[in-house]
Amino acid sequence: MSGAGGITRTRQDIAAGDIPVDTPRLPAWEAAESELSKPMYHENDPNFLQRALNQFWDWVAGVFDAAAGAAPGGPAGLAVLVVIVIGLAAALWWRLGTPQRSARNTDALFDSTGPRSAAQHRATAEAHAAALRWTEAVQERMRAIVRSLEERALLDPRPGRTADEAAAEAGRTLPVHTARLRAAARSFDDVTYGGRTADRSAYLSLRTLDLELDEAKPLLPGTSRGATG
């Protein structure tokens, strides 16, 4: 019978040592890993930068998906919230001006183009005013005021001095003009660092102050305030 013959043959094979090969799991896994690590299997794999970018965009997508799920109205609600945030940021930017100042030492009154006389600053201011460049005219007129006070020895020449510092120091020797000096310094700061635009009235105010200061008598030590002019 074929069945009996097959059984007999199987027993003979086993007796002869012809046992079927059964590779253990761990060596098989190591062999497969070694095979798959060959360069021929990774020619089209993304490089490190591409993998990093893919992971980043997956993270961004996950963040937006989570935000869309939490926002009222889903993705449409999230879009509305984004528009509101952008609108608020634009409103603050317009209201507060360009944030150009990060430290007080960046607010120096004079630039680094070299010292100029009060007369030179006045001439430049008048040229800007004639061309209706009121912002530049205000800047140059404030510089003319401070340079004039330095030339009269009412202020010590000091590099890096700010408009506010100059106004405060000048106010101690010219107390009658303290408030107007501070207002002039604020006008200078607003147009130079605050992103504001000057107008004709702002320039004329500084021009008038400059002319009055040029003839003002300083308050010397031991002199009463009533003696100033």
PDB file of all heavy atoms in Angstrom, residues 22-55:
ATOM      1  N   ASP A  22      15.083  23.502  10.443  1.00  0.00           N
ATOM      2  CA  ASP A  22      14.182  24.422  11.142  1.00  0.00           C
ATOM      3  C   ASP A  22      15.063  25.489  11.811  1.00  0.00           C
ATOM      4  O   ASP A  22      15.605  25.282  12.890  1.00  0.00           O
ATOM      5  CB  ASP A  22      13.349  23.665  12.181  1.00  0.00           C
ATOM      6  CG  ASP A  22      12.324  24.580  12.839  1.00  0.00           C
ATOM      7  OD1 ASP A  22      12.169  25.738  12.358  1.00  0.00           O
ATOM      8  OD2 ASP A  22      11.700  24.159  13.823  1.00  0.00           O
ATOM      9  N   THR A  23      15.236  26.680  11.125  1.00  0.00           N
ATOM     10  CA  THR A  23      16.138  27.729  11.629  1.00  0.00           C
ATOM     11  C   THR A  23      15.514  28.397  12.848  1.00  0.00           C
ATOM     12  O   THR A  23      14.350  28.807  12.797  1.00  0.00           O
ATOM     13  CB  THR A  23      16.382  28.789  10.544  1.00  0.00           C
ATOM     14  OG1 THR A  23      16.875  28.142   9.374  1.00  0.00           O
ATOM     15  CG2 THR A  23      17.388  29.839  11.033  1.00  0.00           C
ATOM     16  N   PRO A  24      16.235  28.591  13.937  1.00  0.00           N
ATOM     17  CA  PRO A  24      15.705  29.297  15.118  1.00  0.00           C
ATOM     18  C   PRO A  24      15.301  30.735  14.764  1.00  0.00           C
ATOM     19  O   PRO A  24      15.830  31.353  13.836  1.00  0.00           O
ATOM     20  CB  PRO A  24      16.874  29.253  16.103  1.00  0.00           C
ATOM     21  CG  PRO A  24      17.715  28.102  15.646  1.00  0.00           C
ATOM     22  CD  PRO A  24      17.575  28.039  14.166  1.00  0.00           C
ATOM     23  N   ARG A  25      14.383  31.329  15.561  1.00  0.00           N
ATOM     24  CA  ARG A  25      13.823  32.647  15.251  1.00  0.00           C
ATOM     25  C   ARG A  25      14.875  33.753  15.302  1.00  0.00           C
ATOM     26  O   ARG A  25      14.938  34.617  14.419  1.00  0.00           O
ATOM     27  CB  ARG A  25      12.698  32.949  16.225  1.00  0.00           C
ATOM     28  CG  ARG A  25      12.044  34.313  15.992  1.00  0.00           C
ATOM     29  CD  ARG A  25      10.863  34.513  16.916  1.00  0.00           C
ATOM     30  NE  ARG A  25       9.863  33.486  16.690  1.00  0.00           N
ATOM     31  CZ  ARG A  25       8.743  33.355  17.412  1.00  0.00           C
ATOM     32  NH1 ARG A  25       8.534  34.195  18.432  1.00  0.00           N
ATOM     33  NH2 ARG A  25       7.877  32.403  17.163  1.00  0.00           N
ATOM     34  N   LEU A  26      15.708  33.831  16.337  1.00  0.00           N
ATOM     35  CA  LEU A  26      16.668  34.914  16.485  1.00  0.00           C
ATOM     36  C   LEU A  26      17.706  34.936  15.370  1.00  0.00           C
ATOM     37  O   LEU A  26      17.920  35.995  14.745  1.00  0.00           O
ATOM     38  CB  LEU A  26      17.359  34.831  17.851  1.00  0.00           C
ATOM     39  CG  LEU A  26      18.376  35.933  18.154  1.00  0.00           C
ATOM     40  CD1 LEU A  26      17.727  37.305  18.087  1.00  0.00           C
ATOM     41  CD2 LEU A  26      19.005  35.709  19.531  1.00  0.00           C
ATOM     42  N   PRO A  27      18.342  33.820  15.024  1.00  0.00           N
ATOM     43  CA  PRO A  27      19.282  33.858  13.880  1.00  0.00           C
ATOM     44  C   PRO A  27      18.595  34.255  12.580  1.00  0.00           C
ATOM     45  O   PRO A  27      19.181  34.949  11.754  1.00  0.00           O
ATOM     46  CB  PRO A  27      19.831  32.442  13.847  1.00  0.00           C
ATOM     47  CG  PRO A  27      19.682  31.947  15.247  1.00  0.00           C
ATOM     48  CD  PRO A  27      18.394  32.530  15.726  1.00  0.00           C
ATOM     49  N   ALA A  28      17.350  33.842  12.393  1.00  0.00           N
ATOM     50  CA  ALA A  28      16.638  34.213  11.175  1.00  0.00           C
ATOM     51  C   ALA A  28      16.403  35.715  11.119  1.00  0.00           C
ATOM     52  O   ALA A  28      16.548  36.352  10.064  1.00  0.00           O
ATOM     53  CB  ALA A  28      15.307  33.462  11.114  1.00  0.00           C
ATOM     54  N   TRP A  29      16.054  36.319  12.261  1.00  0.00           N
ATOM     55  CA  TRP A  29      15.819  37.766  12.298  1.00  0.00           C
ATOM     56  C   TRP A  29      17.107  38.536  12.019  1.00  0.00           C
ATOM     57  O   TRP A  29      17.115  39.513  11.296  1.00  0.00           O
ATOM     58  CB  TRP A  29      15.262  38.126  13.675  1.00  0.00           C
ATOM     59  CG  TRP A  29      14.990  39.593  13.830  1.00  0.00           C
ATOM     60  CD1 TRP A  29      13.908  40.282  13.418  1.00  0.00           C
ATOM     61  CD2 TRP A  29      15.877  40.541  14.448  1.00  0.00           C
ATOM     62  NE1 TRP A  29      14.032  41.608  13.742  1.00  0.00           N
ATOM     63  CE2 TRP A  29      15.237  41.794  14.375  1.00  0.00           C
ATOM     64  CE3 TRP A  29      17.125  40.427  15.063  1.00  0.00           C
ATOM     65  CZ2 TRP A  29      15.817  42.946  14.876  1.00  0.00           C
ATOM     66  CZ3 TRP A  29      17.706  41.581  15.562  1.00  0.00           C
ATOM     67  CH2 TRP A  29      17.053  42.831  15.466  1.00  0.00           C
ATOM     68  N   GLU A  30      18.209  38.057  12.593  1.00  0.00           N
ATOM     69  CA  GLU A  30      19.487  38.713  12.369  1.00  0.00           C
ATOM     70  C   GLU A  30      19.923  38.603  10.913  1.00  0.00           C
ATOM     71  O   GLU A  30      20.461  39.555  10.335  1.00  0.00           O
ATOM     72  CB  GLU A  30      20.550  38.104  13.280  1.00  0.00           C
ATOM     73  CG  GLU A  30      20.323  38.393  14.766  1.00  0.00           C
ATOM     74  CD  GLU A  30      21.334  37.700  15.641  1.00  0.00           C
ATOM     75  OE1 GLU A  30      22.029  36.799  15.113  1.00  0.00           O
ATOM     76  OE2 GLU A  30      21.441  38.045  16.837  1.00  0.00           O
ATOM     77  N   ALA A  31      19.655  37.456  10.306  1.00  0.00           N
ATOM     78  CA  ALA A  31      20.006  37.280   8.903  1.00  0.00           C
ATOM     79  C   ALA A  31      19.186  38.213   8.014  1.00  0.00           C
ATOM     80  O   ALA A  31      19.697  38.814   7.069  1.00  0.00           O
ATOM     81  CB  ALA A  31      19.792  35.821   8.492  1.00  0.00           C
ATOM     82  N   ALA A  32      17.890  38.354   8.322  1.00  0.00           N
ATOM     83  CA  ALA A  32      17.035  39.256   7.538  1.00  0.00           C
ATOM     84  C   ALA A  32      17.472  40.704   7.714  1.00  0.00           C
ATOM     85  O   ALA A  32      17.500  41.482   6.752  1.00  0.00           O
ATOM     86  CB  ALA A  32      15.580  39.074   7.958  1.00  0.00           C
ATOM     87  N   GLU A  33      17.815  41.094   8.945  1.00  0.00           N
ATOM     88  CA  GLU A  33      18.261  42.475   9.199  1.00  0.00           C
ATOM     89  C   GLU A  33      19.553  42.755   8.454  1.00  0.00           C
ATOM     90  O   GLU A  33      19.740  43.839   7.892  1.00  0.00           O
ATOM     91  CB  GLU A  33      18.449  42.685  10.696  1.00  0.00           C
ATOM     92  CG  GLU A  33      18.836  44.116  11.062  1.00  0.00           C
ATOM     93  CD  GLU A  33      19.021  44.288  12.543  1.00  0.00           C
ATOM     94  OE1 GLU A  33      19.604  43.356  13.154  1.00  0.00           O
ATOM     95  OE2 GLU A  33      18.602  45.309  13.098  1.00  0.00           O
ATOM     96  N   SER A  34      20.460  41.816   8.443  1.00  0.00           N
ATOM     97  CA  SER A  34      21.716  41.985   7.725  1.00  0.00           C
ATOM     98  C   SER A  34      21.486  42.141   6.233  1.00  0.00           C
ATOM     99  O   SER A  34      22.114  42.967   5.572  1.00  0.00           O
ATOM    100  CB  SER A  34      22.640  40.793   8.010  1.00  0.00           C
ATOM    101  OG  SER A  34      23.840  40.899   7.262  1.00  0.00           O
ATOM    102  N   GLU A  35      20.557  41.391   5.726  1.00  0.00           N
ATOM    103  CA  GLU A  35      20.252  41.462   4.289  1.00  0.00           C
ATOM    104  C   GLU A  35      19.638  42.808   3.927  1.00  0.00           C
ATOM    105  O   GLU A  35      20.010  43.451   2.945  1.00  0.00           O
ATOM    106  CB  GLU A  35      19.303  40.321   3.906  1.00  0.00           C
ATOM    107  CG  GLU A  35      18.849  40.338   2.447  1.00  0.00           C
ATOM    108  CD  GLU A  35      19.974  40.096   1.466  1.00  0.00           C
ATOM    109  OE1 GLU A  35      21.003  39.520   1.872  1.00  0.00           O
ATOM    110  OE2 GLU A  35      19.825  40.474   0.289  1.00  0.00           O
ATOM    111  N   LEU A  36      18.684  43.264   4.764  1.00  0.00           N
ATOM    112  CA  LEU A  36      17.984  44.521   4.464  1.00  0.00           C
ATOM    113  C   LEU A  36      18.850  45.754   4.693  1.00  0.00           C
ATOM    114  O   LEU A  36      18.498  46.845   4.241  1.00  0.00           O
ATOM    115  CB  LEU A  36      16.709  44.625   5.307  1.00  0.00           C
ATOM    116  CG  LEU A  36      15.613  43.606   4.987  1.00  0.00           C
ATOM    117  CD1 LEU A  36      14.463  43.732   5.961  1.00  0.00           C
ATOM    118  CD2 LEU A  36      15.119  43.787   3.544  1.00  0.00           C
ATOM    119  N   SER A  37      19.955  45.597   5.407  1.00  0.00           N
ATOM    120  CA  SER A  37      20.833  46.734   5.652  1.00  0.00           C
ATOM    121  C   SER A  37      21.761  47.020   4.487  1.00  0.00           C
ATOM    122  O   SER A  37      22.493  48.013   4.513  1.00  0.00           O
ATOM    123  CB  SER A  37      21.656  46.488   6.918  1.00  0.00           C
ATOM    124  OG  SER A  37      22.544  45.398   6.729  1.00  0.00           O
ATOM    125  N   LYS A  38      21.730  46.247   3.480  1.00  0.00           N
ATOM    126  CA  LYS A  38      22.605  46.454   2.339  1.00  0.00           C
ATOM    127  C   LYS A  38      22.198  47.728   1.590  1.00  0.00           C
ATOM    128  O   LYS A  38      21.006  48.061   1.510  1.00  0.00           O
ATOM    129  CB  LYS A  38      22.538  45.250   1.402  1.00  0.00           C
ATOM    130  CG  LYS A  38      23.115  43.980   2.021  1.00  0.00           C
ATOM    131  CD  LYS A  38      23.026  42.818   1.062  1.00  0.00           C
ATOM    132  CE  LYS A  38      23.628  41.550   1.675  1.00  0.00           C
ATOM    133  NZ  LYS A  38      23.524  40.387   0.763  1.00  0.00           N
ATOM    134  N   PRO A  39      23.155  48.502   1.050  1.00  0.00           N
ATOM    135  CA  PRO A  39      22.862  49.786   0.387  1.00  0.00           C
ATOM    136  C   PRO A  39      21.861  49.670  -0.756  1.00  0.00           C
ATOM    137  O   PRO A  39      21.133  50.625  -1.026  1.00  0.00           O
ATOM    138  CB  PRO A  39      24.240  50.228  -0.120  1.00  0.00           C
ATOM    139  CG  PRO A  39      25.217  49.548   0.778  1.00  0.00           C
ATOM    140  CD  PRO A  39      24.600  48.227   1.117  1.00  0.00           C
ATOM    141  N   MET A  40      21.815  48.535  -1.413  1.00  0.00           N
ATOM    142  CA  MET A  40      20.923  48.400  -2.559  1.00  0.00           C
ATOM    143  C   MET A  40      19.450  48.566  -2.174  1.00  0.00           C
ATOM    144  O   MET A  40      18.621  48.904  -3.014  1.00  0.00           O
ATOM    145  CB  MET A  40      21.126  47.022  -3.207  1.00  0.00           C
ATOM    146  CG  MET A  40      20.841  45.848  -2.272  1.00  0.00           C
ATOM    147  SD  MET A  40      21.114  44.257  -3.074  1.00  0.00           S
ATOM    148  CE  MET A  40      19.824  44.273  -4.306  1.00  0.00           C
ATOM    149  N   TYR A  41      19.121  48.355  -0.896  1.00  0.00           N
ATOM    150  CA  TYR A  41      17.737  48.490  -0.459  1.00  0.00           C
ATOM    151  C   TYR A  41      17.408  49.920   0.005  1.00  0.00           C
ATOM    152  O   TYR A  41      16.264  50.214   0.343  1.00  0.00           O
ATOM    153  CB  TYR A  41      17.441  47.520   0.690  1.00  0.00           C
ATOM    154  CG  TYR A  41      17.522  46.060   0.294  1.00  0.00           C
ATOM    155  CD1 TYR A  41      18.595  45.270   0.708  1.00  0.00           C
ATOM    156  CD2 TYR A  41      16.531  45.460  -0.482  1.00  0.00           C
ATOM    157  CE1 TYR A  41      18.687  43.931   0.348  1.00  0.00           C
ATOM    158  CE2 TYR A  41      16.609  44.120  -0.847  1.00  0.00           C
ATOM    159  CZ  TYR A  41      17.688  43.362  -0.426  1.00  0.00           C
ATOM    160  OH  TYR A  41      17.765  42.046  -0.771  1.00  0.00           O
ATOM    161  N   HIS A  42      18.424  50.807   0.072  1.00  0.00           N
ATOM    162  CA  HIS A  42      18.198  52.136   0.648  1.00  0.00           C
ATOM    163  C   HIS A  42      18.612  53.261  -0.298  1.00  0.00           C
ATOM    164  O   HIS A  42      18.839  54.384   0.131  1.00  0.00           O
ATOM    165  CB  HIS A  42      18.991  52.261   1.958  1.00  0.00           C
ATOM    166  CG  HIS A  42      18.630  51.225   2.974  1.00  0.00           C
ATOM    167  ND1 HIS A  42      17.528  51.324   3.800  1.00  0.00           N
ATOM    168  CD2 HIS A  42      19.231  50.027   3.272  1.00  0.00           C
ATOM    169  CE1 HIS A  42      17.470  50.246   4.582  1.00  0.00           C
ATOM    170  NE2 HIS A  42      18.487  49.448   4.278  1.00  0.00           N
ATOM    171  N   GLU A  43      18.704  52.962  -1.577  1.00  0.00           N
ATOM    172  CA  GLU A  43      19.135  53.978  -2.529  1.00  0.00           C
ATOM    173  C   GLU A  43      18.151  55.144  -2.611  1.00  0.00           C
ATOM    174  O   GLU A  43      18.543  56.282  -2.860  1.00  0.00           O
ATOM    175  CB  GLU A  43      19.318  53.347  -3.911  1.00  0.00           C
ATOM    176  CG  GLU A  43      20.465  52.352  -3.968  1.00  0.00           C
ATOM    177  CD  GLU A  43      20.575  51.698  -5.331  1.00  0.00           C
ATOM    178  OE1 GLU A  43      19.648  51.929  -6.156  1.00  0.00           O
ATOM    179  OE2 GLU A  43      21.556  50.988  -5.588  1.00  0.00           O
ATOM    180  N   ASN A  44      16.862  54.892  -2.422  1.00  0.00           N
ATOM    181  CA  ASN A  44      15.839  55.940  -2.557  1.00  0.00           C
ATOM    182  C   ASN A  44      15.297  56.435  -1.219  1.00  0.00           C
ATOM    183  O   ASN A  44      14.285  57.131  -1.189  1.00  0.00           O
ATOM    184  CB  ASN A  44      14.675  55.417  -3.405  1.00  0.00           C
ATOM    185  CG  ASN A  44      15.110  55.050  -4.815  1.00  0.00           C
ATOM    186  OD1 ASN A  44      15.917  55.753  -5.424  1.00  0.00           O
ATOM    187  ND2 ASN A  44      14.592  53.940  -5.339  1.00  0.00           N
ATOM    188  N   ASP A  45      15.978  56.075  -0.132  1.00  0.00           N
ATOM    189  CA  ASP A  45      15.535  56.548   1.182  1.00  0.00           C
ATOM    190  C   ASP A  45      15.783  58.050   1.317  1.00  0.00           C
ATOM    191  O   ASP A  45      16.764  58.578   0.772  1.00  0.00           O
ATOM    192  CB  ASP A  45      16.285  55.814   2.293  1.00  0.00           C
ATOM    193  CG  ASP A  45      15.796  54.378   2.443  1.00  0.00           C
ATOM    194  OD1 ASP A  45      14.863  54.007   1.725  1.00  0.00           O
ATOM    195  OD2 ASP A  45      16.388  53.658   3.274  1.00  0.00           O
ATOM    196  N   PRO A  46      14.923  58.817   2.037  1.00  0.00           N
ATOM    197  CA  PRO A  46      15.157  60.246   2.267  1.00  0.00           C
ATOM    198  C   PRO A  46      16.383  60.455   3.150  1.00  0.00           C
ATOM    199  O   PRO A  46      16.679  59.630   4.014  1.00  0.00           O
ATOM    200  CB  PRO A  46      13.871  60.713   2.963  1.00  0.00           C
ATOM    201  CG  PRO A  46      13.292  59.482   3.575  1.00  0.00           C
ATOM    202  CD  PRO A  46      13.650  58.359   2.653  1.00  0.00           C
ATOM    203  N   ASN A  47      17.104  61.572   2.902  1.00  0.00           N
ATOM    204  CA  ASN A  47      18.276  61.854   3.721  1.00  0.00           C
ATOM    205  C   ASN A  47      17.858  62.397   5.087  1.00  0.00           C
ATOM    206  O   ASN A  47      16.668  62.523   5.383  1.00  0.00           O
ATOM    207  CB  ASN A  47      19.208  62.844   3.009  1.00  0.00           C
ATOM    208  CG  ASN A  47      18.506  64.141   2.645  1.00  0.00           C
ATOM    209  OD1 ASN A  47      17.608  64.592   3.366  1.00  0.00           O
ATOM    210  ND2 ASN A  47      18.897  64.753   1.532  1.00  0.00           N
ATOM    211  N   PHE A  48      18.858  62.743   5.905  1.00  0.00           N
ATOM    212  CA  PHE A  48      18.563  63.183   7.266  1.00  0.00           C
ATOM    213  C   PHE A  48      17.713  64.449   7.280  1.00  0.00           C
ATOM    214  O   PHE A  48      16.759  64.561   8.059  1.00  0.00           O
ATOM    215  CB  PHE A  48      19.884  63.428   8.018  1.00  0.00           C
ATOM    216  CG  PHE A  48      19.692  64.011   9.390  1.00  0.00           C
ATOM    217  CD1 PHE A  48      19.315  63.215  10.464  1.00  0.00           C
ATOM    218  CD2 PHE A  48      19.877  65.377   9.607  1.00  0.00           C
ATOM    219  CE1 PHE A  48      19.131  63.759  11.722  1.00  0.00           C
ATOM    220  CE2 PHE A  48      19.690  65.927  10.867  1.00  0.00           C
ATOM    221  CZ  PHE A  48      19.325  65.111  11.921  1.00  0.00           C
ATOM    222  N   LEU A  49      18.061  65.410   6.427  1.00  0.00           N
ATOM    223  CA  LEU A  49      17.309  66.668   6.393  1.00  0.00           C
ATOM    224  C   LEU A  49      15.859  66.429   5.976  1.00  0.00           C
ATOM    225  O   LEU A  49      14.932  66.997   6.569  1.00  0.00           O
ATOM    226  CB  LEU A  49      17.981  67.657   5.440  1.00  0.00           C
ATOM    227  CG  LEU A  49      17.287  69.014   5.271  1.00  0.00           C
ATOM    228  CD1 LEU A  49      17.199  69.726   6.612  1.00  0.00           C
ATOM    229  CD2 LEU A  49      18.034  69.874   4.248  1.00  0.00           C
ATOM    230  N   GLN A  50      15.658  65.595   4.988  1.00  0.00           N
ATOM    231  CA  GLN A  50      14.297  65.301   4.548  1.00  0.00           C
ATOM    232  C   GLN A  50      13.492  64.615   5.642  1.00  0.00           C
ATOM    233  O   GLN A  50      12.315  64.920   5.845  1.00  0.00           O
ATOM    234  CB  GLN A  50      14.344  64.424   3.293  1.00  0.00           C
ATOM    235  CG  GLN A  50      14.867  65.149   2.062  1.00  0.00           C
ATOM    236  CD  GLN A  50      15.064  64.210   0.887  1.00  0.00           C
ATOM    237  OE1 GLN A  50      15.384  63.034   1.069  1.00  0.00           O
ATOM    238  NE2 GLN A  50      14.882  64.726  -0.322  1.00  0.00           N
ATOM    239  N   ARG A  51      14.150  63.698   6.367  1.00  0.00           N
ATOM    240  CA  ARG A  51      13.446  63.033   7.467  1.00  0.00           C
ATOM    241  C   ARG A  51      13.079  64.033   8.560  1.00  0.00           C
ATOM    242  O   ARG A  51      11.982  63.979   9.131  1.00  0.00           O
ATOM    243  CB  ARG A  51      14.310  61.903   8.030  1.00  0.00           C
ATOM    244  CG  ARG A  51      14.506  60.735   7.071  1.00  0.00           C
ATOM    245  CD  ARG A  51      15.029  59.501   7.805  1.00  0.00           C
ATOM    246  NE  ARG A  51      16.284  59.768   8.488  1.00  0.00           N
ATOM    247  CZ  ARG A  51      17.480  59.612   7.925  1.00  0.00           C
ATOM    248  NH1 ARG A  51      17.563  59.219   6.656  1.00  0.00           N
ATOM    249  NH2 ARG A  51      18.580  59.862   8.600  1.00  0.00           N
ATOM    250  N   ALA A  52      14.013  64.946   8.866  1.00  0.00           N
ATOM    251  CA  ALA A  52      13.738  65.948   9.901  1.00  0.00           C
ATOM    252  C   ALA A  52      12.587  66.856   9.483  1.00  0.00           C
ATOM    253  O   ALA A  52      11.701  67.173  10.289  1.00  0.00           O
ATOM    254  CB  ALA A  52      14.995  66.771  10.170  1.00  0.00           C
ATOM    255  N   LEU A  53      12.585  67.268   8.213  1.00  0.00           N
ATOM    256  CA  LEU A  53      11.503  68.120   7.726  1.00  0.00           C
ATOM    257  C   LEU A  53      10.167  67.388   7.760  1.00  0.00           C
ATOM    258  O   LEU A  53       9.132  67.975   8.113  1.00  0.00           O
ATOM    259  CB  LEU A  53      11.815  68.605   6.313  1.00  0.00           C
ATOM    260  CG  LEU A  53      12.902  69.682   6.183  1.00  0.00           C
ATOM    261  CD1 LEU A  53      13.198  69.967   4.725  1.00  0.00           C
ATOM    262  CD2 LEU A  53      12.474  70.950   6.897  1.00  0.00           C
ATOM    263  N   ASN A  54      10.192  66.121   7.380  1.00  0.00           N
ATOM    264  CA  ASN A  54       8.952  65.342   7.413  1.00  0.00           C
ATOM    265  C   ASN A  54       8.407  65.233   8.833  1.00  0.00           C
ATOM    266  O   ASN A  54       7.195  65.373   9.062  1.00  0.00           O
ATOM    267  CB  ASN A  54       9.195  63.944   6.834  1.00  0.00           C
ATOM    268  CG  ASN A  54       9.445  63.977   5.338  1.00  0.00           C
ATOM    269  OD1 ASN A  54       9.042  64.919   4.654  1.00  0.00           O
ATOM    270  ND2 ASN A  54      10.095  62.940   4.820  1.00  0.00           N
ATOM    271  N   GLN A  55       9.306  65.007   9.794  1.00  0.00           N
ATOM    272  CA  GLN A  55       8.866  64.929  11.179  1.00  0.00           C
ATOM    273  C   GLN A  55       8.328  66.286  11.669  1.00  0.00           C
ATOM    274  O   GLN A  55       7.330  66.337  12.400  1.00  0.00           O
ATOM    275  CB  GLN A  55      10.027  64.481  12.067  1.00  0.00           C
ATOM    276  CG  GLN A  55      10.461  63.039  11.821  1.00  0.00           C
ATOM    277  CD  GLN A  55      11.661  62.653  12.662  1.00  0.00           C
ATOM    278  OE1 GLN A  55      12.224  63.468  13.380  1.00  0.00           O
ATOM    279  NE2 GLN A  55      12.062  61.388  12.573  1.00  0.00           N
TER     280      GLN A  55
END
